[in-house]
């Protein structure tokens, strides 16, 4: 994120900015409803609906936010760093975050060849990364829940809900949700994969979620949950707060792909790996739109550090610190900031963010063994 430098917090150059860290409970209580709304709303590229979110915050000091992940291979930077940023913002605004480690769902979707033991190893690796990357889990505001365990504990609640959602929706409506699994409705699906959207829709109610904080690619099933509320005449619908999806690093890659290591930065990538991937990344001069390097700046580097410094030779403009992404984008569009200067500084910044994760996986025996096992697994689509 080699001759360039990204600025950071005084004291610990790898620490997230204060805006990324969670506030204490006493500080949360001092925030107005509007301030809490602004923090939470800043996470989403889309919010359905904003007035419902503001009303929720006015009436409930600690709303429940839900996000779910299939443990399906090595974790890329969007699942890692962006999730830490978003969860810490949510908890700073008083929310309780329930992170659903969707091991049964990964099995249904044939991840890791459908091997549940391997899937659960990957889930443990996910949790280790979030902790090492700075997710604020003190105070009990973040809860990691394994789908297999929770569903088995309360099967009498879960399965009737899944069945009711299935009864009330026709097959074409369920098939339109296949995008949530990284599938197309044109793919040849197993029966288990058709079952999956009904279960994910049920998760929202099972976990008593007020806010669904998932990526834009999960929008269709979240809308299914709101439609289900209409079917059962439920007034309080889950609010959908969909975050931006980071593109792959190569030209034309709309999203990162775990089957293509060059498309993304992994959370335990070595410094040299990050440098090479950013150096080879698509980064057209003077173009911000669909430029993955600029997207990394906007959604990872600036939220983490709140500023960004590029070191250049005097003849190339000298060192410059940008306080906002908009300032950086303006220089980039004008040609004042060239990809050859941006890329080394971006790689430097990303490496600073990832260093505590590397240290954890190098120094902690349990974590070291976990990542070794995960790397040995074959990633399946």
């Amino acid at each position: 994120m080699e001759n360039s430098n990204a600025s950071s917090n005084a004291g610990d150059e790898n620490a997230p900015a204060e805006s990324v860290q969670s506030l204490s409970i006493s500080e949360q209580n001092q925030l107005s409803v509007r301030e809490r709304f602004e923090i939470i709303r800043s996470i989403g590229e889309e919010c359905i609906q904003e007035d419902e979110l503001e009303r929720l915050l006015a009436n409930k000091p600690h709303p429940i936010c839900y996000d779910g992940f299939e443990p399906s291979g090595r974790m890329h930077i969007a699942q890692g760093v962006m999730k830490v940023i978003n969860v810490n913002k949510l908890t700073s605004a008083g929310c309780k975050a329930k992170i659903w480690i969707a091991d049964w769902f990964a099995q249904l979707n044939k991840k890791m060849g459908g091997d549940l033991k391997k899937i659960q190893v990957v889930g443990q690796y996910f949790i280790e990364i979030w902790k090492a990357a700075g997710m604020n889990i003190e105070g009990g505001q973040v809860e990691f829940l394994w789908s297999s365990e929770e569903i088995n504990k309360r099967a009498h609640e879960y399965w009737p809900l899944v069945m009711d959602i299935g009864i009330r929706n026709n097959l074409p409506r369920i098939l339109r949700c296949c995008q949530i699994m990284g599938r197309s409705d044109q793919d040849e699906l197993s029966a288990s994969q058709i079952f999956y959207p009904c279960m994910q829709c049920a998760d929202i109610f099972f976990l008593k979620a007020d806010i669904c904080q998932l990526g834009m690619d999960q929008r269709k099933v979240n809308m299914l949950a709101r439609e289900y509320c209409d079917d059962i005449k439920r007034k309080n619908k889950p609010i959908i707060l969909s975050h931006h999806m980071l593109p792959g690093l190569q030209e034309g890659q709309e999203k990162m792909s775990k089957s293509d290591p060059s498309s993304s930065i992994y959370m335990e990538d070595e410094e040299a790996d990050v440098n090479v991937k950013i150096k080879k990344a698509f980064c057209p001069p003077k173009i911000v739109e669909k430029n993955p390097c600029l997207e990394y700046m906007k959604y990872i580097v600036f939220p983490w550090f709140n500023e960004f410094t590029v070191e250049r030779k005097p003849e190339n403009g000298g060192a410059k610190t940008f306080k906002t992404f908009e300032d950086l984008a303006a220089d980039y569009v004008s040609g004042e900031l060239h990809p050859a200067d941006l890329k080394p500084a971006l790689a430097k910044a990303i490496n600073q963010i990832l260093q505590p994760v590397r240290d954890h996986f190098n120094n902690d025996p349990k974590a070291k063994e976990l990542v070794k096992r995960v790397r040995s697994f074959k990633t399946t689509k």
Side-chain angles (χ1 to χ4, degrees):
M1 204 183 235
E2 281 232 84
N3 298 327
S4 304
N5 198 8
S7 288
S8 60
N9 278 8
D12 183 352
E13 67 173 8
N14 303 316
E18 286 182 16
S19 60
V20 175
Q21 297 171 333
S22 287
L23 304 172
S24 69
I25 295 295
S26 61
E27 289 172 309
Q28 291 167 20
N29 291 338
Q30 294 171 9
L31 295 174
S32 68
V33 168
R34 190 66 201 175
E35 287 169 329
R36 291 169 66 214
F37 172 85
E38 294 295 345
I39 292 169
I40 294 169
R41 181 64 185 87
S42 71
I43 292 168
E45 186 166 290
E46 177 184 65
C47 178
I48 304 174
Q49 300 282 352
E50 289 188 351
D51 60 326
E52 293 175 18
L53 175 59
E54 197 147 15
R55 192 159 56 246
L56 171 70
L57 296 175
N59 293 312
K60 191 168 184 178
H62 303 293
I64 294 172
C65 299
Y66 137 81
D67 193 1
F69 286 90
E70 278 188 4
S72 57
R74 294 175 65 195
M75 182 184 281
H76 56 60
I77 199 166
Q79 287 179 316
V81 176
M82 279 183 69
K83 184 46 51 186
V84 168
I85 291 168
N86 290 346
V87 167
N88 287 358
K89 281 185 176 183
L90 289 168
T91 55
S92 78
C95 295
K96 181 178 176 67
K98 291 187 176 182
I99 298 181
W100 192 234
I101 311 297
D103 52 351
W104 267 3
F105 291 77
Q107 187 177 29
L108 284 172
N109 202 14
K110 303 180 181 178
K111 297 300 174 71
M112 299 287 116
D115 186 325
L116 189 60
K117 287 184 179 178
K118 287 183 179 179
I119 289 165
Q120 289 172 340
V121 168
V122 178
Q124 291 164 4
Y125 150 88
F126 273 28
I127 294 170
E128 288 293 314
I129 286 183
W130 284 319
K131 290 177 179 177
M135 185 176 286
N136 193 318
I137 58 171
E138 303 301 323
Q141 286 177 277
V142 177
E143 194 174 7
F144 299 108
L145 299 168
W146 293 81
S147 67
S148 56
E149 291 178 7
E150 298 303 315
I151 292 170
N152 275 333
K153 279 184 206 169
R154 292 159 50 205
H156 63 288
E157 292 178 47
Y158 189 78
W159 294 114
L161 186 54
V162 173
M163 289 168 63
D164 194 47
I165 291 165
I167 289 165
R168 292 174 185 272
N169 287 278
N170 60 30
L171 191 56
R173 178 67 186 91
I174 297 302
L175 288 173
R176 288 205 301 275
C177 294
C178 290
Q179 180 189 9
I180 66 173
M181 300 179 284
R183 310 286 175 182
S184 157
D185 55 9
Q186 304 302 313
D187 288 351
E188 185 175 334
L189 302 174
S190 66
S192 67
Q193 289 166 320
I194 294 170
F195 208 42
Y196 187 121
C198 296
M199 290 175 63
Q200 185 169 327
C201 181
D203 293 344
I204 296 164
F205 304 100
F206 182 69
L207 296 171
K208 298 178 169 53
D210 301 299
I211 300 170
C212 301
Q213 203 294 282
L214 296 94
M216 288 294 292
D217 61 337
Q218 304 297 302
R219 185 183 188 278
K220 288 181 180 178
V221 77
N222 292 333
M223 289 302 297
L224 181 68
R226 287 179 63 90
E227 292 165 12
Y228 179 66
C229 289
D230 291 332
D231 291 339
I232 63 173
K233 307 292 189 288
R234 172 175 160 153
K235 185 179 177 184
N236 293 326
K237 299 178 181 180
I239 293 155
I240 304 172
L241 191 67
S242 303
H243 63 252
H244 179 74
M245 301 292 292
L246 274 186
L249 288 171
Q250 305 305 312
E251 184 175 4
Q253 290 180 330
E254 290 189 6
K255 59 185 289 190
M256 298 175 182
S257 168
K258 289 187 179 180
S259 60
D260 179 5
S262 70
S263 74
S264 62
I265 305 293
Y266 292 113
M267 288 298 292
E268 6 71 46
D269 270 349
E270 296 297 337
E271 183 175 345
D273 297 327
V274 172
N275 292 340
V276 168
K277 287 181 181 182
I278 295 298
K279 186 175 182 179
K280 292 181 176 179
F282 180 60
C283 190
K286 300 184 180 182
I287 296 174
V288 173
E289 191 78 16
K290 296 185 178 179
N291 183 328
C293 291
L294 272 290
E295 294 245 346
Y296 271 52
M297 291 300 313
K298 182 175 182 179
Y299 293 101
I300 293 178
V301 175
F302 273 102
W304 195 271
F305 294 118
N306 279 336
E307 62 179 28
F308 180 71
T309 298
V310 176
E311 301 287 352
R312 297 177 293 199
K313 294 178 181 177
E315 58 268 30
N316 292 334
K320 183 169 182 177
T321 297
F322 298 92
K323 296 293 186 182
T324 68
F325 173 76
E326 290 71 26
D327 289 345
L328 181 140
D331 267 24
Y332 193 80
V333 169
S334 72
E336 285 290 313
L337 178 60
H338 192 271
D341 295 313
L342 173 75
K343 282 185 170 187
L346 172 57
K348 178 89 172 184
I350 292 173
N351 277 318
Q352 284 181 227
I353 294 169
L354 297 186
Q355 194 55 48
V357 179
R358 292 188 197 116
D359 292 343
H360 180 64
F361 280 95
N362 286 330
N363 301 327
D364 183 281
K366 175 190 168 187
K368 198 171 192 175
E369 179 61 24
L370 271 177
V371 76
K372 181 181 175 183
R373 292 179 68 186
V374 171
R375 284 175 170 168
S376 74
F377 297 158
K378 181 181 178 182
T379 300
T380 55
K381 183 176 185 295

